Amino acid sequence: MSRTKIGKTLLLLVCLHAVTSHVIAVGPQTCPANLEGGCSDEVEWKGEFFPGIPKIKYEGPSSKNPLAFKWYNAEEEILGKKMKDWLRFSVAFWHTFRGSGSDPFGSPTKFWPWEDGTNSLAMAKRRMRANFEFIDKLGVSYWCFHDRDIAPDGVTLQETNANLDAIVALAKDLQGNKIVPLWGTAQLFFHPRYMHGGATSPEVGVYAYAAAQVKKAMEVTHYLGGENYVFWGGREGYQSLLNTDMERELNHLGRFLQAAVAYKKKIGFNGTLLIEPKPQEPTKHQYDWDAATTANFLRKYGLIGEFKLNIECNHATLSGHSCHHELETARINGLLGNIDANTGDPQTGWDTDQFMTDISEATLVMLSVIRNGGLAPGGFNFDAKLRRESTDVEDLFISHISGMDTLARGLRNAAKLIEDGSLAELVRKRYQSFDSEFGKLIEDGKADFETLEKKVFEWGEPKVPSAKQELAEMIFQSAL
């Protein structure tokens, strides 16, 4: 071989080496969760995701340990029921294991040690293992998920379903006999195909795709032993009525939910179907604005006996109501099924999904839950995320411990109010005139306007007593 040919051959080898090295350097890297081993997609790491963090135990109100419960004592009985049965806590997979700390103004701040920067199937399996270690150490029995948060999209729906099947099979194995989903749901708001909505999209192909996605999500929720299934219509609404046939969209949504009920029964899923009201965001107006609006929708489309409501406290405040108001509206309509336990910041105008830490709010929430006789088969799902600035792994535990303690303390306070009876007596006295024989006629629907007019002529000007609002607030505050 001539020197010229040898030189060209060597040059070609050098170039190939450089190109190969560049491809390896910039290609996607996957690393085991302990970050100390080699990088590989083939080896499934099965070590400890939260080393140094023990199982969280109850230590009582005097404890200064941030990794211990001060108020939540799972086995303690309150009003004849264990705390764990009143509260039925659940971990939200999307916030706890897919929350990145990003917001509309900033890039992600969360870089957990088990993450490799990909949305691969191998990474999805690693997250699922981390999820169940977290649940075990936190000591809860439920988790919640969106289909696309636990498994990556494929090129086709068939490939996407296969990815989901692989992750669900692992989840089924990791659950054992102690843990099940509180609920599952389909993510019908993130992908560009859903820019105009899913069940309310003007494109029939999108409507069909959404139905296929819900069908699969209901199947896997049923397979995992899920106790409920949620519909959150983040993009089921409109940005402008100028280009929207609202009546047609509402009819389509009603038909979609009717089909969901039929399929639930076909596959033998006995869980409760839930609708989660929210007024706006991401759409300007969502059709399930609040509890009252959603109840009216369910009645119109013959679904009142098929669905209950998943009330999220931050959504309640966005709709101009308190969480207590939304819970009571759902409860008195026989529709209170589940609570997404979070709160918002009154100085911030969007859905911040913060962990609930206000004892007063938690006490009001628990008053509604007790009046409802509990939430089962629903519970409290922590649809809440770490603040953008909280970046330590232990913060995941601290935030959930704080939220659990807050609601446990609310339960204890609500029980005190009920056992004391002063607040209930104040309310009873305020309406005691309707406990009379004539008041009963009114409440039974047997007093017409002529009869009422005769009573006014007989009684004259009514005397209106004090509402005792300050006394009611004093009694309430005394229990906190």
Side-chain angles (χ1 to χ4, degrees):
M1 184 181 289
S2 67
R3 286 186 177 182
T4 303
K5 288 183 176 180
I6 292 172
K8 289 182 177 179
T9 301
L10 289 172
L11 180 61
L12 178 60
L13 290 172
V14 169
C15 290
L16 286 172
H17 176 72
V19 170
T20 304
S21 299
H22 176 71
V23 170
I24 292 172
V26 300
Q29 298 293 298
T30 58
C31 299
N34 61 359
L35 291 184
E36 295 174 359
C39 294
S40 172
D41 261 337
E42 305 300 324
V43 179
E44 193 172 321
W45 190 78
K46 298 181 181 179
E48 190 174 4
F49 290 88
F50 303 98
I53 296 181
K55 287 192 176 184
I56 310 304
K57 297 179 180 180
Y58 173 71
E59 294 184 1
S62 63
S63 174
K64 301 298 181 183
N65 180 5
L67 294 175
F69 296 119
K70 287 79 177 170
W71 299 95
Y72 177 62
N73 186 9
E75 300 296 325
E76 181 181 346
E77 283 199 5
I78 303 287
L79 297 178
K81 191 182 296 188
K82 291 181 179 179
M83 291 188 91
K84 67 179 183 180
D85 295 326
W86 278 118
L87 298 167
R88 292 169 57 87
F89 289 127
S90 172
V91 172
F93 189 93
W94 57 96
H95 280 321
T96 304
F97 291 98
R98 298 310 303 272
S100 67
S102 61
D103 64 21
F105 306 97
S107 58
T109 61
K110 311 284 192 295
F111 304 99
W112 306 129
W114 55 82
E115 290 287 338
D116 63 18
T118 73
N119 194 29
S120 66
L121 203 56
M123 186 63 248
K125 290 180 178 179
R126 194 178 304 152
R127 289 190 195 103
M128 192 56 69
R129 291 186 180 280
N131 174 57
F132 282 99
E133 182 184 324
F134 181 81
I135 289 172
D136 178 63
K137 287 189 171 182
L138 191 61
V140 300
S141 301
Y142 302 97
W143 66 296
C144 294
F145 65 90
H146 294 84
D147 53 357
R148 298 299 180 260
D149 291 327
I150 62 173
D153 261 320
V155 176
T156 64
L157 181 59
Q158 292 91 329
E159 184 180 327
T160 300
N161 286 346
N163 289 343
L164 185 57
D165 285 338
I167 297 303
V168 166
L170 175 62
K172 181 75 168 179
D173 181 57
L174 295 172
Q175 281 186 168
N177 298 319
K178 297 181 179 179
I179 301 169
V180 296
L182 186 64
W183 50 259
T185 187
Q187 190 192 75
L188 304 181
F189 52 88
F190 186 81
H191 195 281
R193 78 173 68 89
Y194 296 123
M195 69 172 74
H196 305 305
T200 59
S201 174
E203 292 297 323
V204 70
V206 175
Y207 183 98
Y209 201 107
Q213 191 174 334
V214 168
K215 173 181 177 291
K216 183 64 176 180
M218 289 180 71
E219 290 167 357
V220 300
T221 302
H222 180 38
Y223 173 73
L224 290 170
E227 299 194 4
N228 305 270
Y229 183 88
V230 165
F231 291 85
W232 177 64
R235 297 196 188 276
E236 311 297 3
Y238 63 81
Q239 302 291 5
S240 172
L241 281 175
L242 293 174
N243 63 349
T244 300
D245 187 336
M246 184 164 67
E247 182 179 13
R248 200 169 190 183
E249 289 194 0
L250 285 167
N251 286 338
H252 290 172
L253 181 57
R255 298 290 175 259
F256 191 94
L257 295 178
Q258 289 165 357
V261 170
Y263 192 66
K264 166 197 165 176
K265 294 177 180 178
K266 183 175 182 178
I267 64 175
F269 176 48
N270 295 319
T272 303
L273 299 181
L274 300 165
I275 292 181
E276 181 177 328
K278 187 178 183 182
Q280 75 279 322
E281 195 190 70
T283 52
K284 178 180 178 179
H285 176 93
Q286 287 169 214
Y287 292 135
D288 52 1
W289 180 274
D290 61 6
T293 303
T294 308
N296 183 62
F297 172 88
L298 292 174
R299 287 191 178 93
K300 179 177 180 180
Y301 292 97
L303 297 167
I304 200 71
E306 304 291 351
F307 283 83
K308 289 192 175 183
L309 302 186
N310 178 40
I311 301 297
E312 179 171 322
C313 290
N314 203 169
H315 293 179
T317 51
L318 287 176
S319 67
H321 306 303
S322 67
C323 187
H324 193 210
H325 168 91
E326 286 293 270
L327 294 173
E328 286 297 281
T329 300
R331 184 184 68 80
I332 64 179
N333 281 280
L335 295 174
L336 179 54
N338 195 79
I339 297 174
D340 270 4
N342 64 18
T343 192
D345 191 316
Q347 291 181 287
T348 305
W350 63 81
D351 191 7
T352 53
D353 286 332
Q354 297 171 222
F355 281 85
M356 186 181 294
T357 56
D358 186 323
I359 306 302
S360 176
E361 183 178 20
T363 303
L364 291 170
V365 166
M366 292 313 304
L367 279 172
S368 289
V369 171
I370 292 170
R371 288 168 182 160
N372 198 60
L375 293 172
F380 285 92
N381 173 49
F382 283 112
D383 191 1
K385 58 192 175 188
L386 289 179
R387 298 301 85 207
R388 175 176 167 80
E389 304 81 7
S390 298
T391 57
D392 290 341
V393 168
E394 74 164 8
D395 292 334
L396 290 170
F397 284 90
I398 291 170
S399 58
H400 283 79
I401 291 167
S402 177
M404 292 167 75
D405 268 344
T406 298
L407 283 161
R409 196 169 178 181
L411 173 60
R412 293 174 185 275
N413 292 343
K416 281 194 292 184
L417 284 167
I418 290 169
E419 289 169 339
D420 172 73
S422 298
L423 188 59
E425 179 61 14
L426 184 151
V427 175
R428 187 198 67 78
K429 285 183 176 179
R430 191 174 181 212
Y431 295 91
Q432 65 184 350
S433 65
F434 280 90
D435 295 331
S436 64
E437 184 177 340
F438 189 71
K440 188 175 185 307
L441 284 177
I442 294 172
E443 293 186 337
D444 289 345
K446 297 178 180 179
D448 57 25
F449 272 12
E450 287 84 359
T451 302
L452 292 167
E453 182 186 51
K454 288 178 181 177
K455 278 295 180 183
V456 172
F457 291 154
E458 177 186 337
W459 289 339
E461 185 66 28
K463 295 180 179 179
V464 183
S466 170
K468 296 292 183 182
Q469 183 172 328
E470 290 76 14
L471 178 57
E473 291 168 351
M474 179 185 291
I475 293 170
F476 178 77
Q477 290 295 328
S478 68
L480 301 185

